[in-house]
Amino acid sequence: MARYVLRRLSQTAITLFILSVVVFAVSAVLPGSVGRAILGPFAEQASVEKLNSDLGVNGPLLSRYLRWIGGALRGDFGDSYKFRAPVMDFIPAALFSSLKLALMTLVIVVPLGIIGGTFAALRQGKATDRVITISGLTLAVTPEFVVGILLILVFAVKLGWLPAGGSARGSVANQIKVLILPSLTLTAVLFGYLSRMARAGAIEALASDYTRTATLKGLPRRTVLLRHVLRNSLLPTIAVIASQMSYLLGGLLVTETLFNYRGLGLLIADSARERDIPMLMAAVFIVGALAMMMMLLADLLIAWLNPRVRLGGKR
Amino acid sequence: DEKASTNDTTAGTGGAAQTTAAGDTTAPKAGGIIKAAGGAPSAASATLDPVLINDGAGLTLLSQVGQFLAVSQQDLTLASSLATKWTPNADGSEWTFTLNPAATFSDGAQVTAADVVASIERLLNPDNTSNSLSAFATGKLSPGGVTALDDGTVLFTLNGPMGNFPYIVSSDNYNSIILPASVADTTNFAADVMSGKIATSGPWTIGSYDATTGIKYKPNPKYWGTPLLLEGLEYIFYTDPAAQVAAFQSGEVDALVKFEVAGGESLLDNPDVTVYELKSANHRQIHMRCSEGPFADKRVRQAMAMSLDRQTMIDGLFQGKASIANDTPFFDVFPSSGDRPMATFDVNKAKALVTEAGGGFDATLYGINYFEAPDLAVLLQNAAKAIGINLKIDLRGDYYDVNWVRTYDPSVAGSDIGITDYGHRGVPDVFLNAPLKSFKSVDDGAGVWNAAEFANAEYDAAVDVYSASSDLQSQKAAAEKIQAILTDEVPMLIPYNINYLAATKTKVAGVVPTAMGHFFTDKASKA
Amino acid sequence: MSTPALEFRDLRLAYVVRGQAREVLRGVSFEVQPGETYGLVGESGCGKSTAAYAAVRYLPRNARILSGEVHVAGRDVMSLDRNQLRELRANNASIVYQDPGQALNPTIKVGPQLIEAFRLIGLNKTESLARAREMLQTVQIADPDSVLGRYPHQLSGGMQQRVIIAMALACSPQLLILDEPTTGLDATVEAEVLDLVRGLRDEFGTSVLFISHNLGAIRSMCDRVGVLYAGQLVEEGSAQEVFDQPQHPYTVGLLRCLPRHGSRQSAQRLETIPGFLPLLGAELPTCVFVDRCPLATEKCRTEVPSWSSHVGRLVRCHHVDRVNELVAAELPMGTPTVVDRSGPPLLVLDGVSKTFQQGGQLIKAVRDVSLVLHPGETLGLVGESGSGKTTLAHTVLGLHDPDQTNSIMFNGSPLSGGTRRRPPDQVRGIQIVFQNPDSALNRRHSVRRIIGRSLKRLAGLSTAEVEPELHAITAAVRLTDRHLDMRPSQLSGGLKQRVAIARSFAGKPRIVVCDEPTSALDVSVQAAILNLLGDLQRDRSTSYLFISHDLRVVRYLSDRIAVMYLGRIMELGPAERVFDGPHHPYTEALLSAAPSVEGEHRERIKLSGEIPSAVNQPSGCVFHTRCPRRLDGDICSTVEPELTPTPDGGAIRCHIPFDLLGGQPVDVVPHRGRVP
Amino acid sequence: MTTPATDEPSINDPDVTAGVSGSTPDTTIQSVRHELRRQLFRSKTFIIGSMLLLFWAFAAIAPGVLTSHDPSQQDPASKWIRPFFRDGHWLGTDRFGRDVFGRAIFGAREIMIIAPAAVVLGTTIGVVLGLAMGYFRGKLDDLVSRVIEALMSLPVILVALLALTSLSGGRLTIILLIGFLFGPVIARTIRAAVISERDLDYVRAAELRGERSWYIMFVEILPNVFGPIIVEFTVRLGYAVFTMAGLAFIGFGTQPGSPDWGRTIYDERSSLLSNVWWPSLVPAVALASLVVAINLVADAVQGLVDR
Ligand SMILES: Nc1ncnc2c1ncn2[C@@H]1O[C@H](COP(=O)(O)OP(=O)(O)OP(=O)(O)O)[C@@H](O)[C@H]1O
Ligand SMILES: Nc1ncnc2c1ncn2[C@@H]1O[C@H](COP(=O)(O)OP(=O)(O)OP(=O)(O)O)[C@@H](O)[C@H]1O
Ligand SMILES: [Mg+2]
Ligand SMILES: [Mg+2]
């Protein structure tokens, strides 16, 4: 196990490096004059050029990258063009809110997905199965901004039960109230994929020899399902949850904008619009790193759940 | 004389009652907090630095704490604020402003001429790269042009005659709030106001401010005007207009500082919503390049103008909440506009013109892709198609990415036709200069945004005459000449000017939005 | 009389395939008395497993009972409701099947899985644990506690199967069903597992339904056997009698397919059963065996023979009286292959070693192997699983680089490591027939393409020349042109193996490695393949490196035999001597492990302990940890014996002098099976 | 003496009589293909799925046949007519009085061109990468895997967002973007499949014929991983369609006025708040139906491939 962990860690390190290059490269080719974008149309050209040189957006690429990554390693992603303050003054808070949202979403979608998927697997090929799969799929492909607005329309505007958005502050109860609609929006999108995976995993486990053994032992069906089937079908599901993490974080961009929820997603959307490149890079990089960590965690978790890996190969 | 102050001596905004306000019948009740939804200030405005602020969100926030010499009201006439009266010399090249002796800053100090000089000169100083430079250029005011005659009077010496000058130091030029002369550096304005380091004269001071989420105001204890009714004022920043409307509908906020018809339809005929509809000079310009390319031929440009069914446009895009414009910046909001011939809608004539000019062609329509511009683009496309011109739409994130204006960077291609947005101004001067006057150099402000590459000596002269004239009659005369030229040459299409829309819940009364984007709350109350 | 533990009453069962019910069991009737062991034999696909699972009503969704009943301990299985069925499975009947690796839940420790079984019969935690421990001891697992704490993958196949058996016996069931419990296990392991079952059966008085391909195993285990063919029992009687005087033509054929004790390929061909098992669900208003029966007459095609008693057993045949006509014909021996030992050997291995690096561990798969192979010679390679046979073969083929270069000489010139680095004639010179034809043939390519490509590459033929050659070679492996346009998936196992053989012979190889070429095939098919290999060798005087678990087969085919253990050659010599002795203690053990159909029962030489891992091998003689003839003193455990030459040109790696080594096979002991 | 003594294969060798005795399953490739086809057309999912697909494909090719309305034909007078079947507008009209149904039909084309093109590109990249990684393993595999992980850790929409600001959103851009975003993901799946294939003996056999690597990869292995490829292709097709809609949200993609579904859904979404649901929900449903259709077909195909 230790050896495996080490290998995965080193791999992740490399991946992080590549990620940083990718992020920098893409951001570096952003066209247009940063200064002009910041100062606006009616600002004098002189002002624009002055600002550009102040921001040092004209240096050679490599040195700029080194400066950036160097800072990043020290947790300093430079100053925001927009707020004229260290990017890191803004990201942690945003990150925290986003994680809250992500967590809430997972809390809803994971059990839902697994139960739905397993249920579908048990009714494989029957109507129930079809309904679950297709409805999941349909939700998954309906853009967040449609699902979101519908939710707002119904629960915030029409029924007035829940707030149409805002940031999760204050009492836990209040925070949860704020989080429900956005996380439901994300749930709608993720449920399809998750249940699909859970279903596949369950079907495989159901067809396996050890399930047959358990049944022929004379175990009650419930025990067979809970102890033997689910236990094994969960592994692939965990994997997919992790790989969907990056997807979830992507969904944040749209969802947070829609619900005016001040998290990384909204921060990224704003920074992109405002050409706040240091902020954009930092945020995107962190989102990527986060997703990567999730994959890593999932891999380790799976490894740990799977004795084969945990305890090494045969005997 | 026209520009002399009205007898209104009340401090603050002196705004007229809201135009379409529904329920401001009952006597306003004291107390309560208003929560307003608005956009987050842009990069330049993020610290609320009065020198740099360049967008609606920024000015809305700034004008809660800072005050101007005069306030441009909803009817675009000037009301006194820190200054009680202003008078020009004979040719309107010198203006004398008399300050209100009652006016004080939040630290109790009186507002003096020295403060005015310091504040305005800060904006004029090129090193500070203020957003207001172009405005002052139009206003013909240069560094050193401001002098204090005594504690209570300030003299503005201009480079030439300028009839509309008072607007340049009014709320119209939203950067020009007056701060104590002692203030050296405004780069961290919001923070400094919060900490009391910078004293301001407005009804509110800043309680807390987070450039990403919103701002909370608390009453200015030493406010010199009529006492506030509200206990507090709060702005929440939104990125997505739809989100704003949703929040407003579901009652998270009491007011929308500004909203668009598209997406806001549900508010328009809603019993418990007060909609404020203000005439404004906010408009879109569709420039057509006169120097080269398919639009170089005047007849093609005229044809384009005739191809537009402007009334339908207005109905379709704004549910009528806009006014037809005649491809000139002289909108019905401007007193100086005078009475104008209505633009004609005549597809056949347009077709004919195009054929004369050598028949239809393909072109790419560039433009911004926010506000209603995408829809406008579609409408233009349809209209053009009808007269044999095929427009391929290519809207980019925003104007400056594409550099389809060659004035700053001759190397770029420029564009034959493109849409951009112009915000509200209290006077047409900026519109007449930046995008239309012949471009000479970046430093000489004229024509810096002349995407149409329109160069017409006659026009330039006419504009100079207009700017110089300080009385309405002569302005109207000059205006008619200008309009004649523009409607004949058609360097740009200006199909409409959009009414400014703000909304509050009916329980909110007494707020005074302006087309510029101010949202004065000094007389506001909440039931 | 007591109620039978298991009783099939004319059970007719079908699988619904594409809306059609296809009959698999065509009226099967038999019973297993309490304490009796009943064997079910028959070639693959004849319905053995179906019968087994029908007994516990664990049938695929598409299975349909057409008629008949199955009774376990007197209860009609098909009429039970869900709970009763559960109880039946929990208390009365247990089943053990192939591939123990899959049968245990990989994510749960052995303990809990075993304890579960005891909890079911109403014991509490502590009791269950105690019983689990006992039970593991009963199935002869040395340290139960450590095993209880391990995960399935940490156990060897044998251990896993033991655990499963323990689990099956938890409820001390009346009926234990074993569906090929030892297929895929080593002969040595198999023997142990069977011993175990035998012991437990006697101890618990359990009735056993025992299904196996391995006729030897069946004979050594069972009191009575039923011969199943196409879903019908064709013969039933006491094991001894059925195997010694088979009464049904099918049984006769089945037994004759096996190489007879001591017979040699060069001496006689094997008999085969022509034709095929009828299609699943085919209409058979006839004798099911008619298409393949040498005695078939018109009557057989028109009348279904009755299930009638004959010389003390049940037979389903119209011509029971004529079976003795089926005397074992002495098949004419083809001209035996002349092994040319005069010239230089074709292949010389001189101290070949192969070490794998895996996760920082060194796996010494092959250690210092030296061999020679002469033209036309067949060298048998035997040894338990993991002993390095395949690795050695692959190294010769150039699929692995040997640890030190130039340790292999082919035709006088050194063989370089990778195939890609070898000159064409070396590449075509050595080819292989893989164990599993399914994975050895590209499922997406047609037979024509598979063989054609080899002809192009190896025989270096142009597209034009390929066609005639193609027909020649397919004919040589007894395929018809019709097969050329088929995909492997459309061919039976035997046909696939023929294609594989055709492919390897395409380039007229000098040496062909056969890695267990028949272990995946039924005996009747195996016979045909072995014949084919023999013929090809005779025609082309090819040399074989023949790897197999099945000593009987190896002996039948090989001139000389090499016995491998932990990557080393323990013994090398002429087939006769290696089999009849004197031989290495390990060889001796291997031989004694294989049960024979002839039913002579040697006392089995038990090998204590597990095969040591190839990673950390024992000091001294690698076999000393299990050696039954281990010498007193610590020489065996400290000094690795040399491979010392024997008079017959072979060699043995043992400290015991050659002449003192176990001579004749250990003396025969009386049959241990009990006649009811 | 009845025991066959001769070595006449058709008599003596059991296997040879295959087909003759009719005892092996249907024997020619054609018949197998035929069988597969029959299987497919038996499965309801496939029927329904392909019906829908065909419908949209048809809409993409000949929209004019399905609707008489010009998708860009504006009519301010008839703005926001409600569904259903009022004034000749099946599903009502949008804020320009354009026929919603008509736009949905015409909108199909954009997606039906872009999505497949993008996925073909992605699959090609994925297959080549996956084959190389899976077959060669080692350093190459490690490196590429890392890059892929890096790319995968970035949400598609973020990469698009970054790319958007530097590229102009044309059809080609989107195809390239989606293609290159999906390539790595697909590569991962293919790689896994290849790895399990390369351990099979037919690859050994090929090596023993001294075949070149490319031959082994593309001629021997590739046909055997068609299963996963087909599945990936269809599944990704679904994702692509969905991604396009997402791109529209960040203003990336087709230009205003285009009836493209994603774009329309985005443009019309705000009117949802005024209870005007049809202009945005109709294309949304169209989108869903297309993706569901694709997946139904995918499932059916997968079901067969798995056999
Ligand atoms: N679920 C099923 N649907 C259709 N046919 C099946 C099914 N299960 C098994 N068969 C077929 O039924 C026949 C009998 O299968 P069964 O497994 O009982 O044979 P067997 O004697 O156990 O063979 P083997 O010795 O290989 O295990 C085989 O031809 C098999 O292909
Ligand atoms: N590619 C490989 N990498 C690492 N270890 C291997 C590899 N191939 C074989 N081994 C190890 O080498 C040893 C010999 O394996 P090999 O397959 O040669 O034995 P075998 O005699 O062929 O076994 P079987 O009879 O089951 O085929 C085993 O311990 C096996 O685990
Ligand atoms: Mg079986
Ligand atoms: Mg092997």
Side-chain angles (χ1 to χ4, degrees), chain A residues 185-257:
Chain A
T185 311
L186 289 167
T187 303
V189 178
L190 289 179
F191 173 78
Y193 301 114
L194 248 59
S195 55
R196 203 185 172 87
M197 283 305 137
R199 179 176 176 273
I203 287 179
E204 194 185 338
L206 279 170
S208 69
D209 274 6
Y210 54 81
T211 305
R212 171 167 56 164
T213 314
T215 316
L216 290 177
K217 244 189 234 175
L219 285 175
R221 188 154 179 70
R222 223 182 65 261
T223 322
V224 175
L225 288 183
L226 294 182
R227 266 179 69 79
H228 294 273
V229 174
L230 217 48
R231 195 187 182 101
N232 290 280
S233 67
L234 280 187
L235 289 180
T237 318
I238 294 171
V240 84
I241 291 173
S243 63
Q244 289 299 325
M245 204 58 198
S246 73
Y247 183 86
L248 172 67
L249 294 169
L252 289 179
L253 186 122
V254 178
T255 313
E256 290 186 349
T257 313

Side-chain angles (χ1 to χ4, degrees), chain C residues 66-298:
Chain C
L66 302 179
S67 71
E69 298 172 354
V70 180
H71 290 247
V72 171
R75 305 166 71 188
D76 179 353
V77 177
M78 301 303 166
S79 66
L80 299 178
D81 66 28
R82 188 181 251 217
N83 262 328
Q84 294 166 321
L85 183 59
R86 236 197 63 240
E87 282 159 13
L88 178 93
R89 289 169 177 171
N91 305 322
N92 307 70
S94 302
I95 179 165
V96 173
Y97 39 83
Q98 272 195 45
D99 200 351
Q102 300 296 317
L104 290 168
N105 189 328
T107 58
I108 306 181
K109 285 185 177 156
V110 170
Q113 297 196 53
L114 186 48
I115 288 171
E116 242 177 7
F118 290 100
R119 302 279 294 162
L120 271 174
I121 55 174
L123 301 183
N124 65 28
K125 273 205 163 49
T126 45
E127 291 167 346
S128 308
L129 181 57
R131 288 291 306 283
R133 207 179 278 114
E134 285 173 36
M135 191 49 85
L136 284 187
Q137 270 150 352
T138 350
V139 295
Q140 292 162 23
I141 288 180
D143 52 349
D145 295 291
S146 85
V147 171
L148 282 173
R150 290 205 220 147
Y151 284 94
H153 76 272
Q154 296 173 297
L155 303 175
S156 69
M159 296 282 268
Q160 290 169 333
Q161 199 58 295
R162 281 202 178 86
V163 171
I164 292 170
I165 292 174
M167 211 181 280
L169 294 177
C171 58
S172 45
Q174 289 96 317
L175 175 64
L176 175 62
I177 300 171
L178 303 169
D179 184 2
E180 308 188 10
T182 54
T183 319
L185 298 182
D186 260 312
T188 47
V189 183
E190 173 176 39
E192 288 177 26
V193 172
L194 293 184
D195 279 353
L196 176 67
V197 173
R198 216 178 272 117
L200 294 171
R201 174 196 62 193
D202 301 351
E203 182 178 338
F204 292 84
T206 318
S207 320
V208 178
L209 174 62
F210 182 78
I211 298 174
S212 176
H213 278 125
N214 184 333
L215 300 179
I218 292 274
R219 172 163 195 158
S220 69
M221 280 289 296
C222 303
D223 308 314
R224 293 192 302 134
V225 290
V227 181
L228 194 62
Y229 184 81
Q232 251 183 11
L233 282 173
V234 291
E235 179 166 6
E236 178 185 287
S238 88
Q240 233 167 328
E241 294 166 10
V242 170
F243 280 101
D244 293 345
Q245 303 104 31
Q247 290 302 312
H248 191 284
Y250 176 61
T251 323
V252 176
L254 211 52
L255 290 166
R256 292 215 185 125
C257 291
L258 301 167
R260 238 176 243 83
H261 180 47
S263 69
R264 296 274 291 103
Q265 171 254 130
S266 53
Q268 81 174 125
R269 305 172 52 72
L270 293 170
E271 288 190 33
T272 61
I273 308 175
F276 271 102
L277 205 57
L279 252 195
L280 195 59
E283 281 302 313
L284 294 175
T286 69
C287 165
V288 286
F289 188 57
V290 62
D291 285 339
R292 307 168 72 178
C293 184
L295 301 178
T297 63
E298 200 43 44

